[in-house]
Each structure stands twice: as structure tokens, then as C-alpha cells.
Amino acid sequence: MNYDAWFECELGCTYPLNEIIYRCKNCDGLLQVKHNMDALKQRSPEDWKTLFEQRYMRTEYPYGSGVWGKKELVCPIIDNENIISMYEGGTNLFWAERFGDQLGLTDLWIKQCGNSHTGSFKDLGMTVLVSMVNQIMRESGDIRAVMCASTGDTSASLAAYASAAGIPAIILLPKEKVTREQLIQPIANGALTLSLETDFDGCMAIVQKLAARKEFYLANSINSLRIEGQKTISMEILQQFNWKIPDWIIIPGGNLGNVSALGLGFLMMRELGIIDKLPRIACAQAERANPLYRSYQTDFTEFKAITAQSTQATAIQIGNPVSIHRAIRILKEFDGIVDQATEEELADAAARADRTGLFNCPHTGVALAVLIKMVERKQIQPDDRVIVISTANGLKFPDFKVGYHNVISNQPPPTYLNLPHELEADYETVLKQIDNHLGS
Ligand SMILES: *Cc1c(COP(=O)(O)O)cnc(C)c1O
Ligand SMILES: [Zn+2]
């Protein structure tokens, strides 16, 4: 039996993965990638684990990648020579021993997905999408460029993979709503970078219209190929824990593709018999961009798109998430919860955890703030194994970090403030300052 995968809508209409299509022609529903599970089940759970272990972080191209090491479960129909990989995945699972200790937890881990080629988890999905575009272009040549709307990280990732492949990239960004670091990434990679006077949802509306022209291939997460790569987050976490299931996973959510991917990865592992139960999932939103949280308050019976307000967690400043329905389905299946964090809570949580060796981006701050609330509510028990998904590298968000460690007149200083001291270049003065700090 052959490994195979295709796009499929809710009603069962199917399309090949190399067709340029994002919604079903019959019912307009989102398409999901489906696999020939019977073929995958021919291999025993033990044999799958052995295969994944043999490949993990080795050099045999492309299998050392955390994504392509699971190629059969991700996208079996791509020829290896069409794969554009930068050895994504394989990220550190940081044992947050000191931070956990402060919260009364013994088994707290931070999955550092931002330790990646372009500094965010977006690389996991983008390698799959750009590889497929590469394959389509080699087969038929119908695509002129690949494009996306972005809150900053998707565009950085798309630009990097597209330029590695030699494919033109078009990037639509909300003007002044991404960091300088995120803006310079696609520019450096040679992408056509369009900075629009709108928010992310406004960019998304335009890019969806452009996508009606098949010559512009859409790289947003409405395209399920990205979800297939991001699914490997769950597979990799399991692998790093010797295939033992954690109790809770906390993940920040904006467009809600990543929380959907996380769940789909676990469901696939369960179907293949690699695990026999599921973790619980908590999705963390910024209070200023919280449409999923509001829906959760109605037990998911209602959902209303909102206009997201400005938040430091810019990558999740989204009011009309494209993957809302699949995310709700996943959260129900995983007995999930949704919680939110204020601007102060997310900044303090990031800074507090930074004091224990991390360097958190604001979105990870949102997840950490929700973690603290769940511990306070005793929703998380002291010996629960908890994993926080850190979605980007803190180095991409210097204004967030610098802005925190700063005193603004007439405002109370932040709780974890640490200011540099400007001193004369004088030995005695320096020693005195050190003694003062350490307490002599
Ligand atoms: C994209 C992104 C998210 C949100 O992921 P979604 O799939 O949109 O929910 C969170 N954090 C960072 C840093 C991101 O780049
Ligand atoms: Zn359909």
C-alpha cells in the first residue's frame, strides 16, 4: 500500500495536493490534508518510533529535519529533490526548573520553537508549503510567486524559504505593526515587501482576493499544507519525552492554525497507536485580541469576529482567525480551555521567567501568564507535566524587552525592572556598585 495524502473538505470532496486550491469548489469549506491512514498503519507503532529516532537530527537530507524526519506523516508525495529544508524543528525542550520551582511545579518545560532558522515556529509549516510550490513549479510552472499576509513571522519564514528555492515572494504587512527585525527579514531575503495602511485582517482580505489568481500561491495558514508541518511540534514533544504524554500543553493563539496543528498531530499519533490518550490543551490569547476567549465564554456556542486592539503580542493581534472552527473542534476533543492575559500580565510573566534564564517573546509571555493563572486556580497540579509552547525568539522583539526595562515618569515601575547603571570608568566606583548590589 502506498503512502498518500490529499486535500479534503468536511463533506468528503477531495483534491490533489498539487492543485492550487484553498477552499472546496462545492461547499466553500476549508480543506484539510488527509492521509492514507491504512497505509501508515501497516508499520507498527514501535517501528515508527524506531524510524523517527534513527533520523532525528542527523545529516541525511532531508530526514534530519524535525519535519522531514516524519515525512510519511507530513507530506509523502513530495520528491526529496524538491524539498526546501533548513533543518527546521529539533528545538530545545527547556526544563524550566527554577521558574517551575517558583510556581510550585516540578515538571515544567518550555518548547523553544523560536530557536529556528527565522526565529519562529512558522518555519515548520513553511518548509512543507514552499517545497510543494517548488514541486508544482517544476511539474507545470503555473505559479509566478508565493505570497502571504503576515503579522511578521510568517513573512520572515516565507521570504527565507522562497529565496532558498529561488521563487519570488510577495509579502503584505500592516504598516508599523511588525517589529523592525521582522520587517528587515523579508527585505534582506529579497521579497517584494508591501507595507499597508491597515491591520493584519486588512492585509488578509487583500491577499485572499489576490489568491483568486492562481499565479499567486497563497502561503497563509488557510492553506493546510502549513498545518501538516506544524503538526510535528506534537510528534517532537512526544519523542523528546520518550513517547510519554504530558498532562497540559499551553499555546498562544492568534489565527489558530498552530493550536489546530498541535491537536491534529496528537490525534494522528493516537490513530497510529503510538499513544493511547491525549494531553489537555490550553489556548492563551491576549485580552486585547481575544475572539476565541469570548467564544469559550459561551461554551463555543457563539463566535463573533472582532476588531483586535493593539497589543504587545503583535503576532496574535488577530480579530477574525481563519482556523476558528478547526481550533474549536480540537479544543473540545482535548478537553481544552481558553484563557487570556492583559498587557501587564503578559509583560510581567515574560520578564519574571526571563529572570530564570529564558528570553521570552510577548506571545510566550501570554502563555506564561495563563500558566500562572492556571496554577493559582489549581487547574494544574504540582506534579503535572506541563509544556508551554514558546512560539518565537525574544530577540525578534527588542522594543518589547527594552520597553519593559525602562522607567516612565508618573507610572509605577514594572515588577521585574532591571536598569543598567551608568558609571564613571573608575575601579572604586565600580566595586562599590557591585558591593551595593550583592550586599556586602
Ligand atoms: C504566528 C504566531 C503565533 C500564533 O499562531 P497562530 O497559528 O496564528 O495561532 C503566536 N506566536 C508567534 C510568535 C507567531 O509568529
Ligand atoms: Zn466540499
Side-chain angles (χ1 to χ4, degrees):
M1 225 184 283
N2 283 333
Y3 300 132
D4 193 10
W6 56 88
F7 288 126
E8 190 171 315
C9 80
E10 296 272 291
L11 306 177
C13 318
T14 67
Y15 307 88
L17 292 185
N18 60 4
E19 186 166 337
I20 302 169
I21 188 166
Y22 317 104
R23 287 184 176 277
C24 178
K25 284 177 193 161
N26 305 318
C27 66
D28 203 43
L30 280 189
L31 300 171
Q32 202 169 307
V33 175
K34 292 278 180 182
H35 289 261
N36 180 347
M37 294 302 292
D38 290 335
L40 292 169
K41 283 178 195 163
Q42 303 279 303
R43 199 188 282 256
S44 73
E46 282 314 309
D47 286 350
W48 278 122
K49 292 188 227 173
T50 307
L51 181 69
F52 298 153
E53 297 298 345
Q54 281 167 353
R55 292 170 170 175
Y56 192 56
M57 297 179 84
R58 304 295 166 85
T59 51
E60 194 199 342
Y61 193 88
Y63 299 110
S65 150
V67 172
W68 297 107
K70 281 96 186 165
K71 183 185 175 192
E72 295 81 356
L73 283 57
V74 169
C75 197
I77 66 147
I78 295 194
D79 297 335
N80 282 359
E81 62 260 36
N82 290 333
I83 289 179
I84 309 294
S85 170
M86 304 191 197
Y87 277 72
E88 40 291 314
T91 53
N92 180 21
L93 195 50
F94 178 101
W95 181 29
E97 188 184 10
R98 283 197 60 226
F99 189 54
D101 211 38
Q102 291 178 10
L103 303 181
L105 301 178
T106 55
D107 209 358
L108 175 65
W109 304 76
I110 318 286
K111 178 66 171 159
Q112 297 280 60
C113 297
N115 292 356
S116 174
H117 188 74
T118 69
S120 84
F121 76 83
K122 297 294 198 296
D123 293 348
L124 299 171
M126 210 52 85
T127 180
V128 179
L129 183 137
V130 172
S131 299
M132 180 57 73
V133 171
N134 196 33
Q135 180 147 310
I136 297 172
M137 287 177 83
R138 289 194 188 192
E139 284 169 355
S140 65
D142 283 346
I143 297 172
R144 279 169 67 207
V146 56
M147 70 177 173
C148 73
S150 178
T151 52
D153 288 329
T154 299
S155 45
S157 189
L158 177 62
Y161 281 85
S163 65
I167 297 170
I170 303 166
I171 306 298
L172 279 72
L173 291 170
K175 191 175 169 194
E176 280 159 22
K177 293 195 176 73
V178 306
T179 70
R180 203 174 52 142
E181 288 64 24
Q182 291 171 317
L183 178 60
I184 202 65
Q185 286 181 290
I187 289 174
N189 287 133
L192 174 64
T193 307
L194 307 173
S195 187
L196 306 189
E197 304 260 4
T198 179
D199 57 6
F200 169 79
D201 296 298
C203 292
M204 196 64 214
I206 293 184
V207 99
Q208 295 218 38
K209 258 179 136 171
L210 287 170
R213 305 171 69 108
K214 292 197 173 174
E215 58 193 338
F216 305 141
Y217 191 87
L218 181 62
N220 282 96
S221 59
I222 189 173
N223 188 327
S224 303
L225 288 169
R226 280 187 41 205
I227 305 286
E228 290 309 288
Q230 290 172 207
K231 246 172 35 181
T232 59
I233 289 185
S234 5
M235 300 168 182
E236 193 167 292
I237 288 172
L238 280 177
Q239 187 170 6
Q240 287 173 309
F241 281 125
N242 279 321
W243 310 99
K244 269 196 65 189
I245 306 130
D247 297 294
W248 277 102
I249 301 183
I250 306 174
I251 183 168
N255 228 355
L256 306 178
N258 211 24
V259 64
S260 308
L262 180 78
L264 290 170
F266 281 111
L267 291 176
M268 193 174 201
M269 298 284 95
R270 189 177 65 174
E271 197 173 346
L272 293 177
I274 293 172
I275 53 173
D276 57 10
K277 61 176 186 115
L278 300 173
R280 293 185 70 189
I281 294 178
C283 188
Q285 291 211 295
E287 189 184 277
R288 296 172 67 87
N290 63 353
L292 180 69
Y293 176 77
R294 292 177 191 217
S295 172
Y296 177 66
Q297 297 303 302
T298 70
D299 272 328
F300 296 128
T301 52
E302 278 173 46
F303 169 75
K304 277 198 218 82
I306 60 168
T307 301
Q309 293 175 276
S310 102
T311 163
Q312 298 168 95
T314 47
I316 55 176
Q317 189 178 318
I318 294 174
N320 190 14
V322 68
S323 292
I324 181 71
H325 297 298
R326 52 184 162 201
I328 288 176
R329 211 173 314 126
I330 288 293
L331 285 167
K332 286 181 176 166
E333 177 121 30
F334 285 73
D335 194 11
I337 71 143
V338 184
D339 205 344
Q340 62 179 0
T342 65
E343 294 301 295
E344 188 182 358
E345 286 167 343
L346 75 88
D348 278 338
R352 181 177 176 190
D354 282 358
R355 292 274 182 107
T356 64
L358 292 154
F359 192 72
N360 294 296
C361 77
H363 324 88
T364 307
V366 171
L368 292 169
V370 165
L371 165 73
I372 292 168
K373 293 183 188 195
M374 291 176 72
V375 172
E376 282 168 357
R377 283 200 295 265
K378 298 194 166 35
Q379 208 162 15
I380 290 177
Q381 302 308 313
D383 56 356
D384 278 353
R385 173 165 287 173
V386 182
I387 295 159
V388 174
I389 306 287
S390 173
T391 45
N393 195 311
L395 289 169
K396 294 184 87 168
F397 301 88
D399 292 350
F400 169 66
K401 312 300 285 180
V402 173
Y404 187 89
H405 295 290
N406 185 18
V407 180
I408 302 171
S409 57
N410 304 325
Q411 281 188 27
T415 314
Y416 302 96
L417 178 72
N418 187 23
L419 290 175
H421 300 265
E422 291 180 7
L423 302 178
E424 274 171 64
D426 170 65
Y427 173 80
E428 289 300 333
T429 315
V430 170
L431 184 59
K432 205 166 139 220
Q433 186 72 50
I434 296 171
D435 274 341
N436 260 347
H437 177 75
L438 297 177
S440 41

